[in-house]
Amino acid sequence: MFTKTCGRYDVNIVDEDHSARTGRLRRGVPQQMTKPQLGRGAGRPSRRERVREATLAEIKGIARDLLVEHGAAGVSLRAIAREMGMTAPGLYRYVSGIDSLLVLITADMFQELGDAVAAADASVPPEDTDLRILTSLRAFRTWATEHRAEFATMFGPRARLAPETDITPAVEAGRRFGATFYTLFDRLLSEERFVLPDGERITPELARELRAFADTCGFSAPHIPVEAIMVLSTCWVRLYGVVCMEVFEHLNFVMRDMEPLFESELQNMLTGLGVHYRPPEGSTPAAMSTPG
Amino acid sequence: MFTKTCGRYDVNIVDEDHSARTGRLRRGVPQQMTKPQLGRGAGRPSRRERVREATLAEIKGIARDLLVEHGAAGVSLRAIAREMGMTAPGLYRYVSGIDSLLVLITADMFQELGDAVAAADASVPPEDTDLRILTSLRAFRTWATEHRAEFATMFGPRARLAPETDITPAVEAGRRFGATFYTLFDRLLSEERFVLPDGERITPELARELRAFADTCGFSAPHIPVEAIMVLSTCWVRLYGVVCMEVFEHLNFVMRDMEPLFESELQNMLTGLGVHYRPPEGSTPAAMSTPG
DNA sequence: AGCGTTTGCTAACGGTGTTCACTAAAACGT
DNA sequence: ACGTTTTAGTGAACACCGTTAGCAAACGCT
């Protein structure tokens, strides 16, 4: 296309696909060769693998730090390398590029978010389904507001990633995270807390999509009716909506504190699900003073 | 202040704050000096101002093209300049940096989205409130799905912008866009289509936030009760949720077509508002065959 | 000890935002 | 018509980015 002469001296005829037309193309797994043949099956993972794992963890850790401190734009291989006392090209022995690194830490963050929600869920009596749901959903929001940058890369548009990037690790992690809620919803379902919506209002297309949704998410215990899946989807959409709106700060020029709106949405939503709403413990004590 | 010696040869001892610690700092309005003193008040805007306006428009136009074609990461001053046949520093005569350019085109896109919705609204009989609302909301989704990159920069996290960037132009445009819906909602309200929710469930905090919301948005005809504002917020959150979920592709590994879910949400939402839902014209003809 | 794998570095290419010093031209004042 | 001021745009430079190729040292196993 462009007959460019990149060499500083003269010719470099065989430059055609020098990996840079847009500057970032043709990224696969470049090095990180065959496979460590000292894995020894189930034996403990051979010193080399261990230190390798450790540096990979360090890379992801620093990437994470940069993300929270300087935002998504601040995560760069060179900055990470600098922080680690090595050079950027060295990182390519561990990661196949910045995009795949972002996918990796996204997966980690999904794991972490899932753990946070699960921990919150486990912190209340297991038989109190209502409280478990309340606590879990609030934990989701809390984690999101306390980890805005992370949430944005997890749930926002994948703006920074090249379109052809393989995002399956993140997707997998997201799926596992979703399961945290499916279990609770399933419990709610088996307790028959709410009446399912009119199934005749569900068009065949919607039913097909909902089935696909349930199947792919491992939420397809065969007894689950499409109506239930629709309720779940609706709830998820609403939760996603409030939290995104808060974290992306699309109302914060007009609404200082988004918690009341969140709580209100929660109340609306849960009431429809036959779950008894309770205001949160510490905050908004004024809510208590409102006479019924 | 900076006695720096940017010379190519030797010293530059006093370089400490050479504007680049992270590489992009200390951005204000660098040039575009005093003001064109040929404005002549109300007279038509002086050739110079006209061509200036034209090139600014060209800049924004090309920025927009790049956004659509190569995603947010593809919008760069150098690429724009290349496309225009000039050099990047020249653009600083028109824009104070890449960030502010992004804000500018965001504002333009809000305007455009608003126009699209307004046009759809105007395409149906003005007295048919139900249809107007249906059409407007569907127009919102349609525009979003047909302009994913734009929608992402408008409604997603402001990941690419430096935190200190002045985003008021975009915010203003967003406000004006919101007004498109307020009018419709106001009409719905005055027709008393739905019963307002129980006001006693609105905590004082929430009421205060809702009031602030209405005030800042110019949606504060004094008669409007907080309950109504809450309903509006809830609806907006739900709409935002579905559309974001679709455009950001967070379910598309599991759900091919998100339209059924959107329509279902629409139906849910509007039913609660006392608006009669009608399935869309062309698509999903199977929905017609479902007996009520 | 020898040998292959793994690791990390240097150099280099091409891309980005941004500033500064400068020229050419347009517009203005007289 | 001429000189002055204001503006548009350029080129060089700096600091940053992702990525590749080639090389040398370290490591681990036999």
Side-chain angles (χ1 to χ4, degrees):
Chain A
M1 211 168 182
F2 327 146
T3 334
K4 58 196 161 184
T5 324
C6 301
R8 55 183 302 176
Y9 298 117
D10 42 344
V11 293
N12 49 344
I13 313 175
V14 242
D15 194 37
E16 287 132 355
D17 137 79
H18 184 56
S19 89
R21 199 171 312 272
T22 82
R24 29 173 22 194
L25 277 181
R26 202 174 71 91
R27 181 181 315 114
V29 181
Q31 0 277 107
Q32 68 213 16
M33 322 255 153
T34 57
K35 65 177 63 179
Q37 62 259 75
L38 17 153
R40 271 95 165 244
R44 86 176 204 286
S46 108
R47 168 172 171 76
R48 216 167 204 164
E49 283 173 318
R50 270 184 296 131
V51 316
R52 186 181 174 77
E53 210 59 36
T55 41
L56 180 58
E58 187 184 357
I59 292 173
K60 294 196 291 186
I62 297 184
R64 175 72 176 277
D65 293 347
L66 290 172
L67 176 66
V68 304
E69 277 186 56
H70 306 303
V75 183
S76 74
L77 290 180
R78 290 195 126 110
I80 296 171
R82 209 171 322 151
E83 204 81 13
M84 294 178 63
M86 61 186 282
T87 62
L91 297 183
Y92 281 77
R93 287 281 136 89
Y94 299 91
V95 191
S96 59
I98 183 69
D99 285 9
S100 86
L101 173 58
L102 286 176
V103 171
L104 281 187
I105 67 174
T106 303
D108 284 3
M109 296 183 304
F110 267 115
Q111 175 70 41
E112 192 180 311
L113 169 57
D115 290 350
V117 172
D121 180 34
S123 75
V124 298
E127 65 280 2
D128 189 348
T129 311
D130 297 49
L131 188 55
R132 284 179 63 184
I133 291 188
L134 265 172
T135 312
S136 298
L137 297 186
R138 287 200 182 111
F140 176 70
R141 167 176 176 269
T142 304
W143 193 92
T145 55
E146 286 171 355
H147 302 80
R148 305 182 103 89
E150 291 96 319
F151 184 87
T153 68
M154 294 160 74
F155 292 98
R158 321 185 197 287
R160 208 183 143 175
L161 273 50
E164 73 269 21
T165 318
D166 174 37
I167 59 173
T168 42
V171 169
E172 276 307 314
R175 230 197 284 283
R176 277 195 300 276
F177 161 70
T180 314
F181 287 128
Y182 303 152
T183 323
L184 276 174
F185 185 74
D186 199 24
R187 193 181 162 95
L188 207 59
L189 210 59
S190 65
E191 291 182 14
E192 300 188 19
R193 292 297 197 83
F194 58 98
V195 291
L196 291 176
D198 186 1
E200 305 205 341
R201 280 196 355 199
I202 299 183
T203 68
E205 293 89 353
L206 180 54
R208 188 163 37 77
E209 300 293 340
L210 290 174
R211 267 282 158 234
F213 174 55
D215 287 349
T216 327
C217 291
F219 181 55
S220 60
H223 63 279
I224 299 202
V226 273
E227 291 87 345
I229 310 176
M230 202 190 85
V231 172
L232 176 62
S233 304
T234 303
C235 290
W236 173 234
V237 162
R238 292 178 70 171
L239 184 67
Y240 177 84
V242 237
V243 177
C244 275
M245 182 103 56
E246 176 168 9
V247 174
F248 299 166
E249 303 184 351
H250 278 292
L251 246 50
N252 80 333
F253 59 97
V254 57
M255 226 181 233
R256 276 170 191 275
D257 186 7
M258 292 277 289
E259 192 192 339
L261 187 60
F262 173 78
E263 287 294 330
S264 157
E265 274 291 289
L266 207 57
Q267 185 170 11
N268 269 354
M269 202 170 94
L270 293 187
T271 305
L273 286 179
V275 174
H276 177 235
Y277 172 84
R278 271 166 280 184
E281 293 284 313
S283 58
T284 66
M288 298 307 202
S289 73
T290 323
Chain B
M1 201 171 178
F2 329 138
T3 334
K4 57 193 157 188
T5 323
C6 295
R8 54 185 301 176
Y9 297 116
D10 40 343
V11 293
N12 49 347
I13 313 174
V14 240
D15 195 35
E16 290 133 352
D17 137 78
H18 183 57
S19 88
R21 200 171 311 274
T22 83
R24 27 173 22 195
L25 276 180
R26 202 176 69 91
R27 182 181 315 112
V29 181
Q31 3 271 109
Q32 67 214 15
M33 322 257 152
T34 58
K35 66 176 63 178
Q37 62 257 77
L38 19 152
R40 270 96 166 242
R44 83 176 207 288
S46 107
R47 169 174 170 75
R48 211 167 205 164
E49 283 173 319
R50 270 183 295 132
V51 317
R52 185 180 174 77
E53 210 60 35
T55 40
L56 180 57
E58 187 184 356
I59 292 174
K60 294 196 291 186
I62 297 184
R64 175 73 175 276
D65 292 348
L66 289 171
L67 174 65
V68 173
E69 279 184 53
H70 307 303
V75 183
S76 74
L77 289 180
R78 291 195 126 111
I80 295 171
R82 208 159 28 219
E83 205 82 12
M84 294 177 63
M86 60 186 282
T87 60
L91 297 183
Y92 281 76
R93 287 288 142 97
Y94 300 91
V95 193
S96 62
I98 183 67
D99 284 10
S100 86
L101 173 57
L102 287 176
V103 171
L104 281 187
I105 68 172
T106 302
D108 283 4
M109 296 183 305
F110 267 115
Q111 176 70 41
E112 193 180 312
L113 170 58
D115 290 350
V117 172
D121 180 33
S123 76
V124 297
E127 66 279 2
D128 189 348
T129 312
D130 296 50
L131 187 56
R132 284 178 64 183
I133 291 188
L134 265 172
T135 312
S136 298
L137 297 186
R138 288 200 181 110
F140 177 70
R141 168 177 174 266
T142 304
W143 193 92
T145 54
E146 286 172 355
H147 303 80
R148 307 183 102 88
E150 291 97 320
F151 184 88
T153 68
M154 293 159 75
F155 292 98
R158 324 184 196 286
R160 209 185 140 174
L161 273 49
E164 73 269 23
T165 317
D166 174 36
I167 60 173
T168 42
V171 169
E172 276 308 312
R175 230 196 284 282
R176 279 195 299 275
F177 162 69
T180 315
F181 287 127
Y182 303 153
T183 322
L184 276 173
F185 185 75
D186 198 23
R187 194 181 160 96
L188 208 60
L189 210 59
S190 64
E191 291 182 14
E192 300 189 18
R193 293 297 198 81
F194 57 98
V195 291
L196 291 176
D198 186 3
E200 305 207 340
R201 279 195 358 199
I202 299 183
T203 68
E205 292 90 353
L206 181 54
R208 189 164 36 78
E209 300 292 342
L210 290 174
R211 266 284 157 233
F213 174 54
D215 288 348
T216 327
C217 291
F219 181 56
S220 60
H223 62 279
I224 299 200
V226 275
E227 292 87 346
I229 310 175
M230 202 191 87
V231 172
L232 177 62
S233 304
T234 305
C235 289
W236 173 235
V237 161
R238 291 178 70 172
L239 185 66
Y240 177 84
V242 239
V243 177
C244 274
M245 183 104 58
E246 174 169 10
V247 174
F248 299 166
E249 303 184 351
H250 278 291
L251 248 50
N252 79 333
F253 60 97
V254 58
M255 226 182 233
R256 277 170 191 276
D257 185 8
M258 291 277 290
E259 193 193 338
L261 186 60
F262 172 78
E263 287 295 329
S264 158
E265 274 291 289
L266 207 57
Q267 186 170 11
N268 268 356
M269 203 170 93
L270 293 188
T271 304
L273 285 180
V275 174
H276 177 235
Y277 172 84
R278 273 165 281 184
E281 291 285 311
S283 57
T284 65
M288 298 306 202
S289 71
T290 324

